[in-house]
Amino acid sequence: MCACLGLAQAQTQTVPMLAPESITVVANDDYPPYLFRDAKGELQGILKDRWALWQERTGVFVNLQAQHWAQAQRIMQADLADVIDTPFKTAERQQLYDFGQPYARVKVGLFFHHSVSGLVDVNSARGFTVGAMDGDACIDLLQSKGVDSVKRFPSYSDVITAAEVGEVRVFCMDMPSAAYLLNHRNLADSFVFSQPIAEGALHWAVHRGDAALLTLVQAGFDRISEAELQQIDRKWLGASVADVLVSPYARYATDAALVAGAFALLLVAWNVILRQTVRAKTRSLWQSVKVLDQTRLSLERALAEQNAMLDNEMVGIAKVHNRVLVWVNPAIERMLGYGAGEMAGTTMRSYYASEQDYQAFGDKAYGMLLDGKIYRTQTEFVRSDGSRIWVELSGSMLANTQGTSLWIALDITGQRRASAARDEALQRLQKLANSVPGMVYQFIQRPDGSSTVPFVSDAIADIYRVSAQEAQIDASVLFDKHHPADQQQVLDSIEQSALHLTPWQQEYRVRFDDGTVRWLFGNSLPERLADGSVQWHGFITDITERKAADERLRQLSRSVEQAPVSIVITDLSANILYVNPTFSHLTGYSLEEVLGKNPRILQSGQTPPEVFVALWDTLVRGGVWQGELHNRTKSGELFIEHAVIAPVLDAQGQTSHYVAIKDNITQRKQADLALQTSLRDKVALLHEVHHRVKNNLQIITSLLRLEAGRSDEPNTRAVLKDMQGRIYTMALLHESLYRAGTFASVELGAYLRQLATQAFRSQAGVAGDVRLVLALAEVHVGMDQATPCGLLVNELLSNCLKHGFGRGQTGQVTVSLQPADGVGLWCLSVQDTGVGLPPDFEARRALSLGLQLVSDLARQLGGQLTVGSGPGAAFSVVFAVQVFPLSD
């Protein structure tokens, strides 16, 4: 009775108070009938019920995670679960887990399609592709028997599906699961199985060495009665699979009953005396064991982790005391090429290339270490074979020590070489990019709209007038330089390129702060990066000069196309390459009609042959020919062209083409001909007019001379003689024009010389021995100025001879025509060396007809008469001369 009471108390006793609040159990979610998912994806099966009952008995929450079997094992190995359920106990798994008591035995069968025969054991499966669940123990069994072709599937259901569709014809599976899945799929009649190829027990297991958890889990299952376990089995197994599943619970129950009976008798004997003591000791011992086990596991794990860190293959660790190596891990020994233990006790100086490097390191490092700081650097060490490596060092002083420091070393030789190679390649790339005529760049536009230029050549300073650093920080500094009229167009083109990942090509302008505007052309290829950004690789070049050249070419093209003269371009054989629209309009030939033809198609036969000979001689010598060509249009009409034909030189100075510029002068020639005819008629008329005027003036002069001879009055004869001189002056001018054959101008100096000489001779008897001096420069004037100049000289000469010299008195009269001060000004003067002007000259001047006439003539010339004072008399007029060119 006491034994029964003790057993009941053991079953209802709660977990020791150091038990965890929960445990994670991982298992195969496709292992019917033990664990599987129903149509809704909910877990069902024996294990779900068993662990639920375990949770109820222990009060420890069970987090049951079901995965594909291979994934479940990986989760357990990654220490993400505490317990794994349903593994067979194998030698390999015993290295990983501590197993609990088995709770079922399962046979493993080889299943094959009913169309396949001869499979009786594992050996007979050789040559077949056998399907199996990934992570199943049967894979190791098959491979150990020489079955090399094993196709793995994530779950048993996937294996059955592959067998159903014929992907595999043979598969290995635990028999309870196979029976469930084949019947569930209505495939039981399609597959048969061999004799069991293996038999194993189902266990649950914990991480190797976790004795406390192993004890906890086993104690929990011990609190579940056999009847309760059998009730769970009957719920899911029924009785139809007894030949497949053999439960050891009945046998275990019988043995347990016998042991329990014997144990109960012993308990009765001891219960009275030791009951309280044993219970207390047992509880204390259980708690101590658990604490010790947990402490041991923690220390073992910590020690293992420390050993793993210290003995790693990658990071070197050294303990140094007063710059002497006390201890190093194997990684440093391998790093520097030494054997185990060879470096301990050596000084750090042994590993530096020079004393200077050693001292410099010590001065920098230990100053920081003594201040309690961590010192980090990259330094060069010498290996045992003399070669050198670069090492990244990090060190700090150990607490509560004097001069002892701990150092971590990483071999960065490969990184340094790679970095140097990368820097060299980058320098070459930068040099190459800087040599390219234009700006080579990378441009990144991020999903948030921001942008950067991670790489750009030095030409950015010329193209955008910003630095590479500014563009790397924020590429918007480039967009700020864009011309306002082009900004939106550039942004739209970039968006389209990013959206469709099409090449970006754009011509646009930039405008700088000083008002300078430049044309740029960009060409780049985009790619989408992993973070959603778009990166362009390309170049931008300044095309301002090209745009200007294009504009000049367009202007030239428009000028040629719209020129009012014919323009013809030929090759060196005179085959026409181009004619402008004016040519077509004039000749009637279109461009298409004359391409490749010789300009001789225009010849009319009226141009002398020697003209063409001279034309080609000039062109062959590289000269420019010009002349007139008589040609014929397409319709047969004659026309005359004034042509200028010149060679076109290439970059080497060699003639590559000929260009002809031809002006249609047909109408002008006709007008010239009509003008010449009219001019000849007018010249003849003018000759006749001047001849008749001269004759009429001579007749008048003769009549005046006759009238003077008949008059007895001296005054009358004097007046008539003065009139004769004046009329002669005009007649002489007409005679000069008539004899010169030109009517536009007269050479004033020659005209005045002849006039003065004649006038002086006609007055020779008036005064004594007076000499005439002429200083007349050559200048051409029109008749409007020649007539008053002649009359003025005639009047002044007459006045000098009459009033300047007495009878028998000698002297000199000078007539001068010379340039005056000022552009286009001339001075006409008459002066004598006679008696000079009388005191009352001004009063007489108003009464003298001759002097009044002289003043009027001076004003007619646009000048002012100037009278000089003695000795003698001097009269001069300064006037602007209307100069006429000499006729051909």
Side-chain angles (χ1 to χ4, degrees):
M1 183 66 178
C2 292
C4 293
L5 290 173
L7 184 59
Q9 287 178 346
Q11 289 179 344
T12 58
Q13 182 179 2
T14 59
V15 180
M17 55 182 182
L18 291 181
E21 295 182 357
S22 66
I23 61 172
T24 298
V25 179
V26 67
N28 186 358
D29 69 346
D30 191 24
Y31 192 59
Y34 290 96
L35 196 62
F36 60 95
R37 297 186 184 275
D38 60 15
K40 297 181 180 180
E42 300 293 336
L43 288 176
Q44 304 291 342
I46 296 173
L47 295 184
K48 180 182 179 184
D49 292 349
R50 283 170 57 90
W51 282 105
L53 191 56
W54 186 92
Q55 176 178 301
E56 180 183 337
R57 292 288 189 270
T58 61
V60 178
F61 176 75
V62 176
N63 178 21
L64 180 60
Q65 294 185 1
Q67 307 283 341
H68 290 327
W69 184 231
Q71 179 66 16
Q73 294 179 75
R74 285 193 288 270
I75 290 175
M76 187 65 180
Q77 292 172 13
D79 203 16
L80 299 177
D82 303 303
V83 181
I84 184 170
D85 206 342
T86 70
F88 280 9
K89 183 186 292 187
T90 64
E92 181 181 358
R93 290 172 177 169
Q94 284 182 304
Q95 301 298 320
L96 303 174
Y97 310 128
D98 286 336
F99 286 83
Q101 294 296 325
Y103 55 83
R105 295 195 65 80
V106 175
K107 297 177 180 178
V108 182
L110 201 60
F111 294 80
F112 49 92
H113 195 264
H114 63 76
S115 62
V116 180
S117 60
L119 291 178
V120 295
D121 54 19
V122 177
N123 294 328
S124 61
R126 296 174 182 172
F128 286 91
T129 297
V130 180
M133 179 177 65
D134 191 15
D136 200 339
C138 76
I139 295 178
D140 296 332
L141 175 63
L142 291 170
Q143 292 177 341
S144 68
K145 298 296 184 179
V147 180
D148 298 327
S149 181
V150 178
K151 190 165 187 178
R152 301 169 185 258
F153 295 91
S155 65
Y156 276 160
S157 294
D158 292 327
V159 175
I160 297 299
T161 300
E164 181 179 7
V165 299
E167 186 176 352
V168 293
R169 310 294 281 178
V170 182
F171 61 88
C172 176
M173 189 177 293
D174 292 355
M175 287 187 168
S177 299
Y180 177 89
L181 293 173
L182 288 172
N183 282 283
H184 185 264
R185 301 280 187 92
N186 294 322
L187 298 174
D189 296 335
S190 299
F191 289 87
V192 294
F193 58 91
S194 66
Q195 293 296 323
I197 62 174
E199 183 176 349
L202 297 181
H203 302 74
W204 52 265
V206 299
H207 291 286
R208 182 172 178 79
D210 195 350
L213 183 58
L214 181 69
T215 303
L216 172 65
V217 175
Q218 188 61 58
F221 280 118
D222 289 344
R223 294 182 180 89
I224 303 174
S225 67
E226 181 67 21
E228 291 173 313
L229 294 174
Q230 290 179 355
Q231 183 179 358
I232 294 174
D233 290 343
R234 283 195 299 272
K235 173 182 176 182
W236 295 101
L237 296 175
S240 61
V241 292
D243 58 328
V244 178
L245 178 63
V246 180
S247 176
Y249 288 138
R251 182 175 67 252
Y252 294 157
T254 302
D255 295 339
L258 294 174
V259 173
F263 185 70
L265 293 175
L266 292 174
L267 287 176
V268 170
W270 287 90
N271 187 52
V272 177
I273 302 171
L274 300 175
R275 181 175 180 181
Q276 295 297 328
T277 302
V278 170
R279 182 179 298 171
K281 292 292 186 180
T282 300
R283 183 181 299 109
S284 176
L285 181 61
W286 171 253
Q287 293 178 350
S288 298
V289 168
K290 288 206 65 175
V291 171
L292 289 174
D293 283 343
Q294 291 178 352
T295 302
R296 177 180 59 80
L297 288 174
S298 298
L299 291 175
E300 289 178 350
R301 288 178 180 175
L303 183 59
E305 291 174 357
Q306 291 180 0
N307 288 334
M309 288 189 294
L310 293 175
D311 295 336
N312 70 87
E313 298 286 336
M314 299 174 58
V315 181
I317 303 175
K319 184 178 180 181
V320 180
H321 181 73
N322 292 332
R323 308 194 74 176
V324 175
L325 289 171
V326 177
W327 171 87
V328 296
N329 71 339
I332 281 192
E333 293 173 335
R334 285 189 294 271
M335 190 183 302
L336 296 175
Y338 290 92
E342 291 182 354
M343 295 180 64
T346 61
T347 66
M348 292 296 297
R349 172 65 183 86
S350 307
Y351 309 105
Y352 281 90
S354 67
E355 180 68 24
Q356 181 180 0
D357 293 343
Y358 172 71
Q359 293 296 339
F361 174 83
D363 294 341
K364 293 179 181 179
Y366 285 95
M368 293 184 64
L369 296 182
L370 293 175
D371 290 338
K373 300 178 181 178
I374 297 176
Y375 179 72
R376 295 183 177 88
T377 189
Q378 292 182 357
T379 189
E380 192 176 32
F381 279 166
V382 179
R383 288 170 47 87
S384 61
D385 59 3
S387 62
R388 299 186 180 187
I389 62 171
W390 278 93
V391 177
E392 184 175 79
L393 290 177
S394 298
S396 65
M397 282 293 184
L398 293 178
N400 301 320
T401 63
Q402 293 293 329
T404 303
S405 56
L406 185 67
W407 294 87
I408 296 176
L410 291 174
D411 185 352
I412 59 171
T413 306
Q415 297 177 15
R416 294 273 296 200
R417 291 173 180 170
S419 178
R422 183 173 61 252
D423 292 342
E424 182 181 359
L426 184 60
Q427 290 176 357
R428 288 199 301 267
L429 177 61
Q430 189 73 47
K431 185 176 181 180
L432 178 63
N434 292 336
S435 302
V436 172
M439 184 183 87
V440 179
Y441 72 98
Q442 287 180 321
F443 171 73
I444 294 179
Q445 186 177 62
R446 304 185 184 95
D448 61 2
S450 62
S451 56
T452 182
V453 179
F455 172 83
V456 66
S457 61
D458 294 343
I460 189 174
D462 296 326
I463 297 293
Y464 275 101
R465 298 188 185 179
V466 299
S467 66
Q469 292 74 20
E470 291 177 283
Q472 289 169 355
I473 296 172
D474 187 359
S476 64
V477 297
L478 305 182
F479 294 99
D480 293 340
K481 301 292 184 181
H482 292 170
H483 195 283
D486 297 342
Q487 280 184 345
Q488 191 58 46
Q489 180 182 355
V490 173
L491 292 175
D492 292 343
S493 64
I494 292 175
E495 290 301 325
Q496 288 299 313
S497 176
L499 180 62
H500 303 291
L501 293 182
T502 53
W504 179 73
Q505 295 179 337
Q506 189 71 25
E507 290 185 359
Y508 58 97
R509 291 166 294 174
V510 291
R511 186 172 69 183
F512 302 113
D513 295 338
D514 60 0
T516 303
V517 175
R518 306 291 293 178
W519 275 96
L520 304 180
F521 171 70
N523 190 356
S524 60
L525 295 175
E527 64 171 335
R528 195 171 303 281
L529 304 181
D531 63 353
S533 301
V534 177
Q535 178 173 261
W536 285 266
H537 310 268
F539 72 94
I540 295 175
T541 185
D542 190 323
I543 60 169
T544 305
E545 299 303 325
R546 194 197 78 188
K547 292 288 285 187
D550 289 346
E551 181 60 27
R552 290 193 294 270
L553 286 176
R554 281 192 294 270
Q555 292 176 355
L556 177 60
S557 177
R558 288 193 295 266
S559 300
V560 171
E561 292 289 322
Q562 301 173 21
V565 295
S566 297
I567 298 177
V568 181
I569 300 176
T570 71
D571 60 16
L572 297 182
S573 299
N575 297 315
I576 295 176
L577 302 176
Y578 170 80
V579 296
N580 70 340
T582 301
F583 174 92
S584 299
H585 177 72
L586 173 63
T587 66
Y589 290 102
S590 66
L591 174 61
E592 292 74 16
E593 290 177 306
V594 298
L595 282 179
K597 295 183 179 180
N598 194 287
R600 68 171 62 96
I601 62 174
L602 301 176
Q603 289 183 5
S604 65
Q606 297 187 14
T607 303
E610 55 270 20
V611 172
F612 295 108
V613 173
L615 184 156
W616 280 107
D617 286 345
T618 303
L619 293 180
V620 169
R621 293 195 304 269
V624 178
W625 180 89
Q626 59 180 335
E628 292 183 2
L629 299 174
H630 294 255
N631 289 330
R632 193 182 301 273
T633 66
K634 182 179 180 181
S635 61
E637 298 179 10
L638 292 172
F639 66 96
I640 304 173
E641 291 181 307
H642 180 270
V644 178
I645 305 176
V648 179
L649 305 182
D650 59 16
Q652 287 73 39
Q654 301 297 319
T655 301
S656 61
H657 300 82
Y658 296 116
V659 59
I661 301 175
K662 302 188 293 181
D663 187 12
N664 182 11
I665 61 173
T666 305
Q667 293 182 353
R668 191 176 73 193
K669 294 290 286 186
Q670 293 172 348
D672 287 346
L673 181 60
L675 183 61
Q676 290 175 6
T677 301
S678 175
L679 184 59
R680 283 194 297 270
D681 294 341
K682 292 179 179 179
V683 168
L685 178 61
L686 286 173
H687 275 285
E688 183 64 22
V689 169
H690 281 285
H691 179 67
R692 291 182 181 275
V693 169
K694 180 194 70 170
N695 290 339
N696 291 334
L697 289 175
Q698 288 178 348
I699 291 172
I700 294 172
T701 303
S702 298
L703 291 174
L704 291 174
R705 184 173 62 250
L706 291 175
E707 188 63 30
R710 290 173 55 190
S711 177
D712 295 331
E713 292 293 329
N715 292 333
T716 301
R717 287 197 299 270
V719 170
L720 292 175
K721 191 171 184 178
D722 290 341
M723 291 178 66
Q724 287 180 17
R726 293 172 185 139
I727 293 173
Y728 174 76
T729 299
M730 291 184 290
L732 181 61
L733 176 61
H734 282 276
E735 184 178 2
S736 298
L737 293 174
Y738 179 79
R739 293 182 182 280
T742 177
F743 306 102
S745 65
V746 62
E747 204 280 287
L748 184 60
Y751 166 59
L752 294 178
R753 179 176 291 104
Q754 185 179 1
L755 173 66
T757 301
Q758 185 63 31
F760 198 81
R761 287 176 182 174
S762 65
Q763 301 285 340
V766 177
D769 187 12
V770 179
R771 185 165 57 92
L772 177 65
V773 177
L774 300 176
L776 302 173
E778 181 178 348
V779 60
H780 287 265
V781 297
M783 287 186 62
D784 292 341
Q785 287 190 312
T787 300
C789 285
L791 292 173
L792 188 146
V793 170
N794 178 72
E795 292 296 328
L796 290 176
L797 274 176
S798 177
N799 187 67
C800 288
L801 292 175
K802 287 180 181 180
H803 305 290
F805 300 93
R807 184 170 298 274
Q809 186 177 354
T810 62
Q812 176 178 305
V813 177
T814 303
V815 179
S816 174
L817 177 65
Q818 298 295 328
D821 294 336
V823 178
L825 296 180
W826 286 76
C827 179
L828 176 61
S829 66
V830 177
Q831 57 185 357
D832 62 58
T833 60
V835 297
L837 299 175
D840 58 348
F841 171 76
E842 289 299 330
R844 292 184 180 186
R845 180 178 180 180
L847 300 176
S848 173
L849 177 62
L851 291 177
Q852 290 179 6
L853 181 59
V854 169
S855 297
D856 291 341
L857 291 172
R859 285 192 295 271
Q860 187 176 345
L861 285 171
Q864 184 71 34
L865 179 64
T866 302
V867 179
S869 59
F875 299 87
S876 63
V877 178
V878 177
F879 63 97
V881 173
Q882 298 177 2
V883 181
F884 292 84
L886 291 174
S887 60
D888 294 337

